[in-house]
Amino acid sequence: MPGVTAGPAARADYLPFALPDYGPEELAAVREVLESGWVSTGERTHRFESEFARFVGARNAVAVNSGTAALHLALEAIGLDDDDEVITTPYTFAATAEVIRYFRARPVFVDVDPMTLNLDPRLAAAAMTGRTRAILPVHIAGLPCAMDAILELAARAGIAVVEDAAHAFPAKYAGRTIGTLSDFTCFSFYATKPLATGEGGMICTEDDQRAARCRLMALHGISRDAWRRYTTDGNWYYEVIAPGFKYNLTDIAAALGLVQLRRATAMAARRAAIAAVYHAAFDGLDCLQVPSMGQEGDQHAWHLYMLRLRLDRLTVERAEFVSRLRDRGVGVSVHFIPLHLHPYYRDRYGHQPCDFPVAHAEYLREVSLPIYSRMSDTDVDRVTDAVLAVARECRR
Ligand SMILES: *Cc1c(COP(=O)(O)O)cnc(C)c1O
């Protein structure tokens, strides 16, 4: 399906690393909101919440204006406090750990599994202390974590699981939909995510009271229940019952979300088809390692295609490999610079690169290839041709 014409990044001689998949339906939906005169949170946001909840099979879905806000509110709802600890992965984006610091709590990093790049549950078990309040796994690239082990560990300790599912929509773990497994699942609808509303996010939870808390805190801690109880006239009355945040989603974003949700299954199928082409093209090469496709019963969301270089079989480092791909007109990226290498976490917690040797080593050889539903077959061929050509040039 032809997309909306993109900005300067979309050139005939250069394939962008990521683009949202917007067509005539999204354009019409946004136009309709603008013409309606109601652009902030309203009927479309409420409809997006209920349709999203139905899609994943969750009891509650609370729409917010970013995935980061979703994580923040989930941790607020469990009452995270100073000096509490949250176990998470260093192999992720900044948002995952910064939300822990919002509470002055401590992100306790544990290393990842070298195959999946997801948090290793055995290391999580070893990192538990009396101050551990939650486990925050990230389904990296859209590949579900070992949720049974994580859920069991949390249940045994009586602590919460908050999933960072920014990459994992739609996804399944052992046949069960991501969004229904743990205390909270937090999705992101950032521009490059599999469902994109520009900026946006969603919290799914089975707990009605905690959903209500998220809803309250997403909009200034304002409760309108009081007027329902005490007043007979007007709906102007409200009470501020906590110092909340300004995290509500706009109806403009929700209108995009409603269309994207209807197209989600088809868009996910396209991403999976691209992953299959890459897998077939690169699997046999000794200088490349293809990403894990997941276990039986898993559905990978393929937000990212994280190729890994076998540096001992190549004459170049990752930086040179990336720059040769870019020279061939293919936009590629690197995911992620592990958080413990960044100045803030390094200095605050005295981390060394070797503290999380798997995350560090895998980062040094990772290259993310373009994978998005707007890519044509020609685009996909262009990527495989470029990767194979660069691999041939640089093979030892
Ligand atoms: C994108 C992302 C987020 C945050 O989402 P925003 O909607 O950009 O706030 C959180 N975690 C991970 C792993 C992400 O990639």
mmCIF file of all heavy atoms in Angstrom, residues 250-275:
data_model
loop_
_atom_site.group_PDB
_atom_site.id
_atom_site.type_symbol
_atom_site.label_atom_id
_atom_site.label_comp_id
_atom_site.label_asym_id
_atom_site.label_seq_id
_atom_site.Cartn_x
_atom_site.Cartn_y
_atom_site.Cartn_z
ATOM 1 N N THR A 250 -3.867 12.689 23.005
ATOM 2 C CA THR A 250 -4.782 13.521 22.219
ATOM 3 C C THR A 250 -5.680 12.650 21.346
ATOM 4 O O THR A 250 -5.323 11.527 20.983
ATOM 5 C CB THR A 250 -4.026 14.484 21.282
ATOM 6 O OG1 THR A 250 -3.381 13.706 20.265
ATOM 7 C CG2 THR A 250 -3.003 15.327 22.033
ATOM 8 N N ASP A 251 -6.833 13.183 20.992
ATOM 9 C CA ASP A 251 -7.712 12.474 20.055
ATOM 10 C C ASP A 251 -7.106 12.416 18.649
ATOM 11 O O ASP A 251 -7.486 11.551 17.852
ATOM 12 C CB ASP A 251 -9.107 13.124 20.013
ATOM 13 C CG ASP A 251 -10.091 12.407 20.947
ATOM 14 O OD1 ASP A 251 -9.635 11.710 21.871
ATOM 15 O OD2 ASP A 251 -11.320 12.543 20.738
ATOM 16 N N ILE A 252 -6.182 13.311 18.359
ATOM 17 C CA ILE A 252 -5.495 13.256 17.058
ATOM 18 C C ILE A 252 -4.679 11.961 17.000
ATOM 19 O O ILE A 252 -4.760 11.194 16.032
ATOM 20 C CB ILE A 252 -4.567 14.474 16.852
ATOM 21 C CG1 ILE A 252 -5.329 15.786 17.031
ATOM 22 C CG2 ILE A 252 -3.898 14.409 15.478
ATOM 23 C CD1 ILE A 252 -4.438 17.028 17.089
ATOM 24 N N ALA A 253 -3.921 11.720 18.068
ATOM 25 C CA ALA A 253 -3.123 10.494 18.144
ATOM 26 C C ALA A 253 -4.036 9.265 18.204
ATOM 27 O O ALA A 253 -3.758 8.246 17.560
ATOM 28 C CB ALA A 253 -2.207 10.544 19.364
ATOM 29 N N ALA A 254 -5.124 9.360 18.979
ATOM 30 C CA ALA A 254 -6.029 8.213 19.115
ATOM 31 C C ALA A 254 -6.675 7.858 17.774
ATOM 32 O O ALA A 254 -6.890 6.673 17.471
ATOM 33 C CB ALA A 254 -7.099 8.513 20.159
ATOM 34 N N ALA A 255 -6.967 8.879 16.964
ATOM 35 C CA ALA A 255 -7.569 8.617 15.648
ATOM 36 C C ALA A 255 -6.597 7.818 14.780
ATOM 37 O O ALA A 255 -6.996 6.867 14.086
ATOM 38 C CB ALA A 255 -7.928 9.937 14.968
ATOM 39 N N LEU A 256 -5.318 8.202 14.847
ATOM 40 C CA LEU A 256 -4.292 7.428 14.136
ATOM 41 C C LEU A 256 -4.231 6.013 14.698
ATOM 42 O O LEU A 256 -4.147 5.030 13.958
ATOM 43 C CB LEU A 256 -2.914 8.075 14.326
ATOM 44 C CG LEU A 256 -2.577 9.290 13.489
ATOM 45 C CD1 LEU A 256 -1.267 9.913 13.975
ATOM 46 C CD2 LEU A 256 -2.452 8.891 12.031
ATOM 47 N N GLY A 257 -4.285 5.917 16.022
ATOM 48 C CA GLY A 257 -4.191 4.629 16.691
ATOM 49 C C GLY A 257 -5.325 3.688 16.299
ATOM 50 O O GLY A 257 -5.102 2.495 16.098
ATOM 51 N N LEU A 258 -6.526 4.224 16.190
ATOM 52 C CA LEU A 258 -7.686 3.392 15.824
ATOM 53 C C LEU A 258 -7.503 2.786 14.429
ATOM 54 O O LEU A 258 -7.801 1.610 14.215
ATOM 55 C CB LEU A 258 -8.974 4.217 15.895
ATOM 56 C CG LEU A 258 -9.510 4.441 17.318
ATOM 57 C CD1 LEU A 258 -10.507 5.607 17.348
ATOM 58 C CD2 LEU A 258 -10.159 3.168 17.850
ATOM 59 N N VAL A 259 -6.993 3.581 13.499
ATOM 60 C CA VAL A 259 -6.766 3.050 12.146
ATOM 61 C C VAL A 259 -5.618 2.043 12.162
ATOM 62 O O VAL A 259 -5.717 0.947 11.589
ATOM 63 C CB VAL A 259 -6.462 4.186 11.134
ATOM 64 C CG1 VAL A 259 -6.143 3.604 9.768
ATOM 65 C CG2 VAL A 259 -7.620 5.160 11.050
ATOM 66 N N GLN A 260 -4.531 2.395 12.864
ATOM 67 C CA GLN A 260 -3.370 1.502 12.930
ATOM 68 C C GLN A 260 -3.741 0.161 13.581
ATOM 69 O O GLN A 260 -3.228 -0.885 13.202
ATOM 70 C CB GLN A 260 -2.247 2.179 13.720
ATOM 71 C CG GLN A 260 -1.657 3.391 13.007
ATOM 72 C CD GLN A 260 -0.390 3.051 12.243
ATOM 73 O OE1 GLN A 260 0.640 2.789 12.840
ATOM 74 N NE2 GLN A 260 -0.468 3.044 10.926
ATOM 75 N N LEU A 261 -4.630 0.230 14.570
ATOM 76 C CA LEU A 261 -5.068 -0.985 15.257
ATOM 77 C C LEU A 261 -5.810 -1.913 14.287
ATOM 78 O O LEU A 261 -5.611 -3.127 14.302
ATOM 79 C CB LEU A 261 -5.964 -0.591 16.425
ATOM 80 C CG LEU A 261 -6.287 -1.643 17.480
ATOM 81 C CD1 LEU A 261 -5.006 -2.215 18.089
ATOM 82 C CD2 LEU A 261 -7.161 -1.022 18.571
ATOM 83 N N ARG A 262 -6.642 -1.338 13.448
ATOM 84 C CA ARG A 262 -7.362 -2.150 12.449
ATOM 85 C C ARG A 262 -6.386 -2.792 11.467
ATOM 86 O O ARG A 262 -6.640 -3.851 10.927
ATOM 87 C CB ARG A 262 -8.374 -1.287 11.675
ATOM 88 C CG ARG A 262 -9.634 -0.985 12.449
ATOM 89 C CD ARG A 262 -10.760 -0.532 11.519
ATOM 90 N NE ARG A 262 -10.534 0.787 10.933
ATOM 91 C CZ ARG A 262 -10.807 1.933 11.565
ATOM 92 N NH1 ARG A 262 -11.295 1.926 12.791
ATOM 93 N NH2 ARG A 262 -10.576 3.087 10.978
ATOM 94 N N ARG A 263 -5.260 -2.122 11.237
ATOM 95 C CA ARG A 263 -4.282 -2.631 10.273
ATOM 96 C C ARG A 263 -3.163 -3.427 10.945
ATOM 97 O O ARG A 263 -2.242 -3.894 10.263
ATOM 98 C CB ARG A 263 -3.676 -1.437 9.502
ATOM 99 C CG ARG A 263 -4.711 -0.665 8.685
ATOM 100 C CD ARG A 263 -4.063 0.508 7.946
ATOM 101 N NE ARG A 263 -2.910 0.071 7.193
ATOM 102 C CZ ARG A 263 -1.787 0.780 7.042
ATOM 103 N NH1 ARG A 263 -1.667 1.968 7.580
ATOM 104 N NH2 ARG A 263 -0.795 0.303 6.339
ATOM 105 N N ALA A 264 -3.233 -3.567 12.274
ATOM 106 C CA ALA A 264 -2.099 -4.110 13.034
ATOM 107 C C ALA A 264 -1.722 -5.525 12.604
ATOM 108 O O ALA A 264 -0.533 -5.845 12.484
ATOM 109 C CB ALA A 264 -2.401 -4.071 14.529
ATOM 110 N N THR A 265 -2.718 -6.364 12.375
ATOM 111 C CA THR A 265 -2.412 -7.754 12.024
ATOM 112 C C THR A 265 -1.709 -7.820 10.668
ATOM 113 O O THR A 265 -0.716 -8.543 10.507
ATOM 114 C CB THR A 265 -3.710 -8.590 12.037
ATOM 115 O OG1 THR A 265 -4.296 -8.460 13.341
ATOM 116 C CG2 THR A 265 -3.448 -10.045 11.742
ATOM 117 N N ALA A 266 -2.191 -7.039 9.715
ATOM 118 C CA ALA A 266 -1.574 -7.036 8.387
ATOM 119 C C ALA A 266 -0.169 -6.427 8.449
ATOM 120 O O ALA A 266 0.773 -6.932 7.813
ATOM 121 C CB ALA A 266 -2.454 -6.253 7.407
ATOM 122 N N MET A 267 -0.014 -5.367 9.234
ATOM 123 C CA MET A 267 1.307 -4.736 9.331
ATOM 124 C C MET A 267 2.305 -5.686 9.997
ATOM 125 O O MET A 267 3.467 -5.766 9.591
ATOM 126 C CB MET A 267 1.224 -3.410 10.096
ATOM 127 C CG MET A 267 0.485 -2.326 9.325
ATOM 128 S SD MET A 267 0.731 -0.640 9.988
ATOM 129 C CE MET A 267 0.033 -0.795 11.622
ATOM 130 N N ALA A 268 1.838 -6.415 11.016
ATOM 131 C CA ALA A 268 2.714 -7.371 11.709
ATOM 132 C C ALA A 268 3.112 -8.500 10.763
ATOM 133 O O ALA A 268 4.265 -8.965 10.781
ATOM 134 C CB ALA A 268 2.016 -7.932 12.946
ATOM 135 N N ALA A 269 2.172 -8.934 9.925
ATOM 136 C CA ALA A 269 2.470 -10.012 8.972
ATOM 137 C C ALA A 269 3.541 -9.558 7.984
ATOM 138 O O ALA A 269 4.430 -10.329 7.599
ATOM 139 C CB ALA A 269 1.197 -10.430 8.243
ATOM 140 N N ARG A 270 3.477 -8.298 7.586
ATOM 141 C CA ARG A 270 4.477 -7.766 6.654
ATOM 142 C C ARG A 270 5.867 -7.743 7.311
ATOM 143 O O ARG A 270 6.861 -8.142 6.703
ATOM 144 C CB ARG A 270 4.061 -6.365 6.192
ATOM 145 C CG ARG A 270 5.053 -5.698 5.253
ATOM 146 C CD ARG A 270 5.191 -6.456 3.934
ATOM 147 N NE ARG A 270 6.225 -5.881 3.095
ATOM 148 C CZ ARG A 270 6.948 -6.566 2.197
ATOM 149 N NH1 ARG A 270 6.714 -7.861 2.008
ATOM 150 N NH2 ARG A 270 7.866 -5.978 1.481
ATOM 151 N N ARG A 271 5.933 -7.294 8.553
ATOM 152 C CA ARG A 271 7.211 -7.295 9.268
ATOM 153 C C ARG A 271 7.773 -8.718 9.383
ATOM 154 O O ARG A 271 8.970 -8.948 9.181
ATOM 155 C CB ARG A 271 7.059 -6.699 10.674
ATOM 156 C CG ARG A 271 6.944 -5.196 10.701
ATOM 157 C CD ARG A 271 6.731 -4.698 12.123
ATOM 158 N NE ARG A 271 6.491 -3.270 12.166
ATOM 159 C CZ ARG A 271 7.417 -2.349 12.464
ATOM 160 N NH1 ARG A 271 8.643 -2.705 12.767
ATOM 161 N NH2 ARG A 271 7.110 -1.071 12.454
ATOM 162 N N ALA A 272 6.888 -9.668 9.703
ATOM 163 C CA ALA A 272 7.341 -11.056 9.853
ATOM 164 C C ALA A 272 7.833 -11.605 8.512
ATOM 165 O O ALA A 272 8.814 -12.360 8.462
ATOM 166 C CB ALA A 272 6.214 -11.915 10.418
ATOM 167 N N ALA A 273 7.168 -11.209 7.419
ATOM 168 C CA ALA A 273 7.587 -11.680 6.096
ATOM 169 C C ALA A 273 8.967 -11.127 5.745
ATOM 170 O O ALA A 273 9.803 -11.827 5.159
ATOM 171 C CB ALA A 273 6.546 -11.268 5.041
ATOM 172 N N ILE A 274 9.222 -9.881 6.107
ATOM 173 C CA ILE A 274 10.536 -9.284 5.845
ATOM 174 C C ILE A 274 11.610 -10.013 6.667
ATOM 175 O O ILE A 274 12.687 -10.347 6.154
ATOM 176 C CB ILE A 274 10.520 -7.769 6.163
ATOM 177 C CG1 ILE A 274 9.550 -7.038 5.227
ATOM 178 C CG2 ILE A 274 11.929 -7.172 6.055
ATOM 179 C CD1 ILE A 274 9.237 -5.596 5.633
ATOM 180 N N ALA A 275 11.273 -10.301 7.931
ATOM 181 C CA ALA A 275 12.222 -11.037 8.785
ATOM 182 C C ALA A 275 12.543 -12.398 8.160
ATOM 183 O O ALA A 275 13.698 -12.848 8.203
ATOM 184 C CB ALA A 275 11.645 -11.207 10.193
#
